[in-house]
């Protein structure tokens, strides 16, 4: 079976993890790159076709799929163009800026019978996978906590748009929330909001949040988010079980290098995406669900009413 031909739209900070994953797999191959900046395209010239406009790449590239790695405020437009062309999409989280945009993209993917896949890289973390594998139906989960703590300025690199709430979609809730919510959903199933406490800085950007959720089975989940964490980085999951025992996953354990865990996580993303493209498996719900929870948190904050 031939490798999938994949184009990468956007060569920002996260693109290096996709490029490395593509270089290390036989399931897919890098077939084109696209970025508005010539300096970002320069290292790829003479190796793969390079484009300044994603529509031209879609028209000329002969692609099976695209990775969308542009700033958050451009996700919806680029995904729409790719899906409308019948090209499968793997998009960095969040899927879009609003749940309504996400639902429209999911509808378009269904109409075009193609895959819309949001890249929640933490669900491919080896420690998270081991934790999920250890859970048994005869010893059910009674509570879950996800902590996603970092100093955002250390993570954005040259992609300073992350710090603009209009382009990012908000602050820590919009940026780190989707990954944390997806982990809770991975382990507990669909979730609804119970309450949200959000702290904003002087500029009005949400920098910390404490979000309480509940699964359809009534299991409580707590998500702690922090964009101003002063002690480096902390990303973990704690699960408490009916017999009183605890399961724990430190997503950064064993990865000393900054962002070191992302190399294997993005290999997992690419492998899962390739399989979904080949089988046509439904892939859009997780991205939409995360957006809906983000909007629910902001709405609860505005009304100061717990759901």
């Amino acid at each position: 079976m031939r490798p999938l031909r994949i184009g990468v739209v956007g060569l920002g900070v996260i693109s290096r993890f996709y490029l490395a994953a593509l270089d290390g797999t036989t399931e897919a191959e890098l077939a084109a790159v696209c970025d508005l900046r010539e300096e970002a395209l320069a290292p790829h010239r003479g190796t793969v076709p390079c484009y300044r406009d994603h529509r031209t790449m879609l028209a000329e590239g002969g692609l099976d799929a695209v990775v969308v790695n542009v700033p958050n405020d451009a996700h919806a437009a680029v995904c729409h163009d790719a899906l409308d062309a019948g090209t499968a999409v793997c998009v960095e989280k969040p899927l879009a800026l609003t749940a309504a945009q996400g639902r429209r993209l999911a509808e378009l993917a269904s109409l075009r019978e193609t895959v819309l896949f949001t890249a929640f890289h933490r669900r491919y973390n080896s420690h998270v996978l081991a934790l999920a594998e250890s859970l048994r139906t005869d010893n059910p989960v009674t509570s879950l906590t996800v902590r996603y703590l970092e100093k955002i300025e250390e993570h954005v690199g040259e992609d300073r748009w992350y710090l603009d709430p209009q382009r990012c979609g908000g602050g820590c809730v919009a940026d780190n929330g989707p990954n944390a919510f997806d982990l809770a959903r991975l382990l507990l199933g669909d979730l609804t909001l119970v309450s949200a406490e959000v702290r904003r800085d002087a500029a009005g950007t949400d920098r910390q949040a404490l979000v309480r959720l509940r699964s359809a089975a009534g299991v409580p989940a707590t998500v702690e988010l922090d964009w101003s964490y002063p002690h480096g980085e902390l990303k973990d999951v704690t699960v408490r079980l009916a017999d009183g025992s605890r399961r724990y996953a430190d997503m950064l354990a064993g990865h000393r290098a900054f962002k070191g865990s992302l190399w294997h996580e993005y290999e997992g993303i690419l492998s899962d995406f390739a399989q979904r493209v080949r089988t046509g498996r439904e892939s859009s719900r997780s991205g939409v669900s995360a957006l809906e929870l983000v909007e629910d948190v902001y709405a609860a904050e505005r009304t100061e009413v717990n759901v």
Side-chain angles (χ1 to χ4, degrees):
M1 187 177 295
R2 70 169 179 83
L4 296 175
R5 291 175 51 81
I6 294 183
V8 175
V9 185
L11 295 170
V13 169
I14 297 299
S15 66
R16 66 184 185 272
F17 301 105
Y18 284 110
L19 295 174
L22 282 165
D23 190 51
T25 184
T26 59
E27 295 181 277
E29 63 183 11
L30 181 65
V33 293
C34 177
D35 199 283
L36 296 174
R37 303 162 298 159
E38 176 54 37
E39 64 270 23
L41 294 172
H44 301 281
R45 291 204 179 275
T47 304
V48 294
C50 297
Y51 297 89
R52 300 285 289 273
D53 179 78
H54 69 277
R55 297 179 189 87
T56 305
M57 186 185 78
L58 289 166
E60 298 180 357
L63 303 175
D64 299 302
V66 293
V67 166
V68 177
N69 184 48
V70 296
N72 293 356
D73 60 331
H75 283 189
V78 177
C79 289
H80 178 278
D81 291 340
L83 293 170
D84 202 37
T87 304
V89 171
C90 170
V91 57
E92 271 296 290
K93 60 81 190 166
L95 168 56
L97 288 188
T98 70
Q101 289 176 341
R103 286 189 288 266
R104 286 194 292 270
L105 291 173
E107 290 169 2
L108 180 58
S110 177
L111 181 66
R112 295 290 184 264
E113 297 183 336
T114 193
V115 169
L116 173 62
F117 174 88
T118 303
F120 292 115
H121 61 96
R122 294 302 184 187
R123 63 166 48 208
Y124 305 96
N125 180 276
S126 59
H127 302 296
V128 169
L129 292 172
L131 183 151
E133 183 66 24
S134 74
L135 301 180
R136 309 191 314 268
T137 56
D138 62 344
N139 190 15
V141 175
T142 57
S143 70
L144 176 147
T145 300
V146 178
R147 296 189 295 178
Y148 220 90
L149 318 178
E150 65 188 18
K151 188 172 182 180
I152 187 59
E153 289 81 3
E154 297 175 351
H155 288 257
V156 299
E158 296 180 359
D159 290 350
R160 307 303 291 179
W161 58 264
Y162 277 104
L163 305 179
D164 179 350
Q166 297 302 313
R167 303 196 70 192
C168 184
C172 67
V173 175
D175 178 49
N176 289 345
N179 263 337
F181 298 152
D182 182 69
L183 284 178
R185 185 174 182 268
L186 174 70
L187 298 172
L188 296 180
D190 286 339
L191 301 160
T192 55
L193 179 68
V194 175
S195 66
E197 301 169 23
V198 179
R199 287 188 175 184
R200 295 180 177 269
D201 61 18
T205 301
D206 45 299
R207 301 286 299 200
Q208 290 99 16
L210 180 64
V211 181
R212 293 183 175 87
L213 307 166
R214 183 182 293 115
S215 75
V219 178
T222 300
V223 171
E224 299 178 29
L225 306 172
D226 195 342
W227 255 15
S228 301
Y229 187 62
H231 307 297
E233 184 180 11
L234 178 62
K235 311 283 174 65
D236 62 12
V237 183
T238 301
V239 174
R240 296 195 180 277
L241 304 174
D243 67 356
S245 64
R246 187 188 80 151
R247 299 287 186 273
Y248 177 74
D250 177 352
M251 291 175 261
L252 307 181
H255 301 284
R256 293 187 177 183
F258 182 61
K259 292 186 180 291
S261 67
L262 271 65
W263 300 108
H264 84 281
E265 292 167 1
Y266 276 79
E267 290 174 358
I269 284 173
L270 191 62
S271 178
D272 192 5
F273 177 56
Q275 292 176 33
R276 289 171 184 265
V277 173
R278 294 194 188 282
T279 62
R281 186 153 44 105
E282 201 286 324
S283 305
S284 62
R285 183 58 199 157
S286 59
V288 174
S289 293
L291 282 176
E292 290 172 342
L293 284 174
V294 168
E295 287 195 353
D296 288 346
V297 169
Y298 286 138
E301 178 199 12
R302 288 193 300 270
T303 59
E304 297 184 351
V305 174
N306 288 346
V307 177

